[in-house]
Amino acid sequence: MNHYLNSVNAPSFYLIVALILTFITVMCVVFLVKSYRAGVKLGMDKKVLRKTITASATFTLLPSISILLGVIALSGTLGVPLSWLRLSVIGALQYELNVAEIAAQSVGLNGLVLSELNMKAFVTIALVMTAGILGGVICCIFFLKKYLGKVQSVPKKESSGKPGFGAHATTAMFVGLCAAYIGSYIGRAVPREGSDIMPILVAIIAACIMAVFEYFIQKKGKAVLENFSLAASMLLAMAAAVLIQLVL
């Protein structure tokens, strides 16, 4: 186990990831400067541009807490460098955690269990996580222009106030995803040897916390809370899991 952790946290791995992220950071700064200069050239007020930059940076910090939690969650089994890289470039917290778990199970493990992981499994998990997320990049390269054309031309159903196929498809996909995971949590909670009620309890707590946020966002017009809802739900649900574990 120590050999595995030393390998996935090797200094050379840190160096490779640091170089990649440094390149991306420099690229972001270049685009920021070019965008600022383009705004000035168009006649936009410099004070407005600076205020926009400051506001965007401020509202980026708190939502990124959930990403940091994902790095912490993955780093215990996949090491800091890979977790840092995967959640800093392209991807989403939900995707990375779920795909890593699925990839681990596909190679015969019981999940992201540190005592079962080895370098062969690590390479497979890293490959699946990286290759899987490339689908979005490839689709953007070949189909984004055509997709944007359809999005910009509002369908008749949506212009009349009725949701179109895209809205229904997204909702159905989200409901199916939630049903799959909630079903697995319920399966784990069924009384038997090795059953575990913690996942379903934490999911219920997180859902209740998110429901409270949604109430204030939708009913009270507190749209600013949308930036904190995911991070707060995760943090409070994790804190509740610790308390439940102490009680049980």
Side-chain angles (χ1 to χ4, degrees), residues 38-248:
V40 173
K41 191 174 181 179
L42 290 171
M44 298 179 69
D45 190 345
K46 291 183 178 180
K47 290 183 179 179
V48 174
L49 290 172
R50 294 193 189 103
K51 186 177 180 181
T52 302
I53 293 171
T54 304
S56 299
T58 302
F59 283 106
T60 299
L61 290 175
L62 282 172
S64 65
I65 293 176
S66 59
I67 298 175
L68 177 60
L69 292 174
V71 174
I72 295 172
L74 283 174
S75 61
T77 51
L78 299 180
V80 175
L82 178 64
S83 306
W84 181 26
L85 177 64
R86 287 303 315 124
L87 287 166
S88 298
V89 187
I90 307 173
L93 173 62
Q94 299 89 339
Y95 164 83
E96 305 298 345
L97 292 171
N98 294 339
V99 171
E101 186 81 18
I102 293 169
Q105 292 175 351
S106 69
V107 295
L109 307 183
N110 291 318
L112 292 177
V113 181
L114 182 58
S115 60
E116 298 180 4
L117 284 169
N118 51 55
M119 288 307 298
K120 183 179 179 181
F122 173 81
V123 171
T124 302
I125 293 169
L127 178 62
V128 172
M129 292 170 69
T130 305
I133 202 64
L134 290 178
V137 178
I138 295 171
C139 285
C140 285
I141 293 173
F142 294 104
F143 308 114
L144 182 59
K145 186 176 181 179
K146 185 177 180 181
Y147 173 76
L148 287 177
K150 290 185 176 181
V151 171
Q152 291 169 356
S153 59
V154 182
K156 293 182 179 179
K157 286 186 177 180
E158 294 188 358
S159 61
S160 63
K162 297 180 180 180
F165 173 77
H168 290 305
T170 302
T171 302
M173 181 178 65
F174 182 75
V175 171
L177 185 65
C178 290
Y181 283 101
I182 295 299
S184 68
Y185 298 157
I186 294 174
R188 294 185 192 181
V190 174
R192 67 180 189 281
E193 184 180 353
S195 61
D196 185 8
I197 63 170
M198 183 65 74
I200 188 64
L201 288 178
V202 174
I204 292 172
I205 293 170
C208 291
I209 296 169
M210 184 61 78
V212 173
F213 274 96
E214 284 297 313
Y215 171 78
F216 283 101
I217 294 169
Q218 301 294 335
K219 302 296 184 181
K220 301 297 182 180
K222 305 294 183 181
V224 67
L225 293 177
E226 191 169 354
N227 295 304
F228 316 107
S229 57
L230 179 60
S233 297
M234 290 182 65
L235 285 170
L236 293 175
M238 290 170 68
V242 174
L243 294 176
I244 294 171
Q245 190 66 39
L246 291 174
V247 173
L248 297 179

